[in-house]
Amino acid sequence: MGLYKNLFKQTAIYGLATVLPRMFSFLLVPLYTDLLPKDEYGKVTVIFAWMIFFNVILAYGMETAFFRFYNSEDNKKTVVETSMVSIFWTTISFLFIALLYRNTLAIWSGIDSQYITYTIWILALDALVIIPFSKLRAFQKPMVYAVIKISNVLINLVLNILFLLYVPKIIEANPDGFVSTLYIENFEIGYIFLANIIASLLTFVALSPDYVFLKWKFDFSLWKRMMRYGLPILVAGIAFAINEQFDKILLYKLLPPNIAEAEVGVYSACYKLGLFMVLYRTAYTLGIEPFFFSHASDKNAPQTYAMVTKYFVIFGSFIMLSVIVFADLFKLVLLQKEAYWEAMKVVPLIILANFCLGIYTNLSVWYKLIDKTYVGAYISIVGAIITLVLNFLLIPSMSYQGSAIATLAAYGSMMLISYYLGNKYYPIPYDFKKIGGYLGLSIFFSVISFYRFRENYFVGISLLIAFLYFIYHNEKETLLRIIKRKNN
C-alpha cells in the first residue's frame, strides 16, 4: 500500500498544479465568450490550436527521454545538462527562424502577422522551461512545481481581467486620462496574447537560475541515445496534437468562410465542458509517468500497473457520468451566452473520448518500459489518420459533430490497439471483466441521462447513486481493508 500512497500523494500535488491552473483558465472561457463574438473566439481557438501543435515540436520528446535516462543513467547531472543545452539551442534557432519568416507564416495560416509574432515568443518562452519543470518532478519537488505552475496561470488570468474588463471601465470613466493614451481600441485578441507573453516571461525568470548555474556541458553520445528514444515520442506527440487540436483547424479550413470561425467558436466553447475529464487525465499522467519508470524493476510491477489502471477507470467512470449528468448546469457557469449552447450535443462524445485517451495512457506503459517507443508513434499515427480521414469526410456534412465523432473514434482505436499489442509483448494482468463493467455501465447510464432524461436530475442523481453502489459492491473488500488499516 506504500506504493499507492506515494502515487496518490504525488498525483494529488501534481493534480493541484494542474487543476488550479486549468480552473483559472476555465474562468477565462466565460470572459472570452461574453466579450468576444463567436467568430472572434473561434479565431483565438485556432491560434491556440496551432500553439499546442508547435509546443510538441519544440519539446521533440526530450521531456520523456529526460525521465527515462535520468532514472537509468548513473551520471544524472549529465542527463540534466545535456537535455537543457539541447532544448536551449533548438529553441533559440526556432525563435530566430520563425521571427524571420513570420509574414510568410501569417499568409500561410491566414492569421494576422502581429498575432503570429506574439505566438512565437510564447512558444519560445514555454519551450525554455520544459527541462527545468522536468527537473522539479525528477527531484521530487512537487510543491515548487505547483507554485510556479499556478502562479503562471494566475498572472495570466489577472492580466486578462485587467486588460479586457477593468482598463476599459477606467477609460470609460476618465476618457482623457493617462491610461486612455496607452490602451488600444478593438485589440482584445492582442491583449489575450500579451497577457500570455508576460506570464510566460515571468515563469522563465523564476526558473532561469537553472540556466544561470548550468555548466553547459553537452554529452553528444548521450544526446544521440536520448534523441533515438525521444524522436518516436515526437512523432507520437504530433499525432496527439492532430487528434486533440486539428479538428478546430480543419473546421476553420473546410467550412465555408462565412460560418467557419463561428462554428469553431461554439464547438470549442462546448468542448471546454470536457475539462473535468481532461484535468483528471492530465493530473494522473503527470504523477504516473515517473511512478511507472521508478518501479519498472519491481517483480510485482505488472500487478501494480494492473491495479492502478483499474482504479483509474473506476474514478474516471464516475467523473464521466457526473459531468454528463450535470452538463447543463455547468454550461450556465461556463457559457452564459445561449448562442454557444448549440454545440452541447457533442459534450458526451468529447468526455468519453478524453476518458479513452486516459485509459490509453495507462495501457501504453508497456512500450515505454521496454524501450519500444516507436510503437507508440505507430499507434498515434493510426489515431491521427483516423482523425484526419473522418474530419475530411464528416465536416462538410456534419460540421463539428463530425469532429467529435472523429475524436472519439481515434482515441477509442488507440486504446484498443495498445491493449492488444501490450497483451502480446508485455502482458499485464488487467482485470478486464471489472474494467469493462465499470466503463460499460458508466457509458450506458450517461446515454440514458443525457439523451433520454436530460436535465431530469432526479433520474441523473439516481443513476449516480446506483453507480456508486455498483462500485461499493465490487470493491467493498478492498475498501474495508483500507479502512481497517487506517483505524489500526
Side-chain angles (χ1 to χ4, degrees):
M1 294 303 294
L3 290 178
Y4 302 120
K5 183 178 180 180
N6 184 53
L7 172 62
F8 177 78
K9 180 181 177 180
Q10 290 209 23
T11 301
I13 298 174
Y14 287 124
L16 181 69
T18 303
V19 171
L20 285 183
R22 290 294 184 97
M23 290 303 294
F24 292 151
S25 299
F26 197 58
L27 296 176
L28 291 173
V29 177
L31 176 64
Y32 293 163
T33 55
D34 186 51
L35 293 177
L36 301 176
K38 292 186 293 185
D39 57 340
E40 290 291 296
Y41 183 64
K43 188 181 298 182
V44 172
T45 298
V46 171
I47 297 173
F48 277 122
W50 279 116
M51 285 178 63
I52 291 172
F53 188 78
F54 278 96
N55 277 333
V56 173
I57 294 175
L58 289 173
Y60 52 87
M62 187 57 70
E63 183 177 16
T64 303
F66 171 85
F67 283 115
R68 180 68 179 88
F69 284 84
Y70 185 84
N71 283 285
S72 63
E73 294 289 314
D74 293 330
N75 194 339
K76 302 183 186 304
K77 190 175 181 180
T78 302
V79 175
V80 173
E81 292 178 345
T82 301
S83 303
M84 290 191 66
V85 171
S86 178
I87 286 288
F88 177 82
W89 286 115
T90 54
T91 301
I92 295 302
S93 300
F94 160 79
L95 181 64
F96 176 78
I97 295 170
L99 288 175
L100 185 63
Y101 290 98
R102 61 183 179 274
N103 291 328
T104 303
L105 291 171
I107 294 170
W108 177 75
S109 64
I111 298 170
D112 189 284
S113 62
Q114 189 174 24
Y115 303 148
I116 292 289
T117 303
Y118 296 154
T119 301
I120 291 168
W121 279 105
I122 295 169
L123 288 169
L125 290 167
D126 288 348
L128 288 172
V129 298
I130 290 172
I131 300 303
F133 271 127
S134 299
K135 278 179 59 182
L136 292 176
R137 290 169 60 191
F139 292 177
Q140 296 188 13
K141 295 183 178 180
M143 288 303 298
V144 178
Y145 177 97
V147 168
I148 297 175
K149 280 284 187 180
I150 292 169
S151 298
N152 171 278
V153 183
L154 184 59
I155 291 168
N156 184 35
L157 172 65
V158 171
L159 290 175
N160 268 276
I161 294 173
L162 180 67
F163 291 149
L164 300 178
L165 281 182
Y166 284 101
V167 172
K169 290 180 179 179
I170 293 171
I171 293 173
E172 185 180 355
N174 186 15
D176 297 323
F178 175 73
V179 176
S180 62
T181 62
L182 301 176
Y183 194 77
I184 304 173
E185 294 287 341
N186 301 317
F187 192 62
E188 287 82 4
I189 295 179
Y191 283 122
I192 290 172
F193 290 102
L194 181 60
N196 274 268
I197 289 175
I198 295 172
S200 295
L201 177 61
L202 292 176
T203 299
F204 173 71
V205 170
L207 293 168
S208 60
D210 284 340
Y211 286 99
V212 172
F213 297 106
L214 187 68
K215 293 185 177 180
W216 298 93
K217 292 182 179 179
F218 186 77
D219 188 327
F220 186 68
S221 175
L222 172 64
W223 180 79
K224 287 194 296 183
R225 288 189 289 131
M226 294 181 75
M227 290 298 291
R228 280 197 297 269
Y229 184 88
L231 285 178
I233 295 172
L234 167 62
V235 176
I238 292 173
F240 266 123
I242 290 173
N243 291 330
E244 287 201 359
Q245 299 298 331
F246 238 62
D247 51 355
K248 289 90 171 176
I249 295 170
L250 290 176
L251 281 169
Y252 182 70
K253 293 289 186 182
L254 297 177
L255 291 176
N258 60 318
I259 65 169
E261 289 180 349
E263 291 287 275
V264 175
V266 297
Y267 174 61
S268 301
C270 288
Y271 199 104
K272 295 292 185 181
L273 288 173
L275 174 76
F276 298 99
M277 184 58 70
V278 174
L279 290 176
Y280 173 63
R281 170 176 60 80
T282 306
Y284 175 82
T285 302
L286 284 171
I288 202 64
E289 191 170 71
F291 176 83
F292 280 157
F293 284 128
S294 62
H295 294 92
S297 60
D298 293 352
K299 64 178 181 178
N300 294 323
Q303 289 76 16
T304 300
Y305 300 153
M307 184 69 70
V308 167
T309 299
K310 185 182 77 168
Y311 283 103
F312 173 84
V313 173
I314 291 174
F315 288 115
S317 296
F318 179 73
I319 290 171
M320 178 173 70
L321 179 58
S322 300
V323 174
I324 291 175
V325 166
F326 296 109
D328 286 289
L329 292 180
F330 293 137
K331 79 180 181 187
L332 297 176
V333 178
L334 182 66
L335 311 172
Q336 298 178 4
K337 281 187 178 178
E338 291 188 25
Y340 287 93
W341 295 358
E342 62 182 80
M344 280 295 296
K345 51 199 168 190
V346 305
V347 170
L349 298 176
I350 297 303
I351 294 172
L352 178 57
N354 276 286
F355 190 22
C356 289
L357 179 58
I359 298 173
Y360 167 76
T361 300
N362 277 273
L363 300 178
S364 67
V365 61
W366 67 271
Y367 65 72
K368 294 181 180 178
L369 294 176
I370 62 176
D371 290 348
K372 293 185 180 294
T373 53
Y374 62 86
V375 177
Y378 293 151
I379 295 173
S380 298
I381 289 171
V382 171
I385 291 172
I386 292 172
T387 295
L388 294 173
V389 170
L390 289 182
N391 269 288
F392 274 106
L393 290 176
L394 299 178
I395 283 177
S397 60
M398 302 180 67
S399 186
Y400 49 76
Q401 283 184 278
S403 294
I405 292 171
T407 302
L408 176 57
Y411 290 152
S413 298
M414 290 166 60
M415 176 184 70
L416 294 174
I417 293 171
S418 185
Y419 172 76
Y420 172 77
L421 294 177
N423 196 47
K424 183 177 180 180
Y425 294 104
Y426 189 91
I428 294 176
Y430 295 113
D431 191 342
F432 187 74
K433 183 178 179 180
K434 284 191 175 182
I435 289 174
Y438 291 123
L439 180 59
L441 186 62
S442 178
I443 293 172
F444 177 66
F445 282 176
S446 296
V447 170
I448 292 175
S449 175
F450 193 85
Y451 295 107
R452 180 65 181 88
F453 295 99
R454 187 172 170 183
E455 296 189 81
N456 185 330
Y457 297 109
F458 176 79
V459 173
I461 293 173
S462 297
L463 292 173
L464 278 170
I465 294 172
F467 188 72
L468 283 173
Y469 177 77
F470 181 74
I471 294 173
Y472 173 76
H473 178 75
N474 285 279
E475 305 297 327
K476 60 183 177 182
E477 291 185 7
T478 302
L479 293 173
L480 291 174
R481 188 164 59 248
I482 292 173
I483 293 172
K484 185 176 180 181
R485 287 173 64 92
K486 286 187 175 181
N487 289 335
N488 292 337

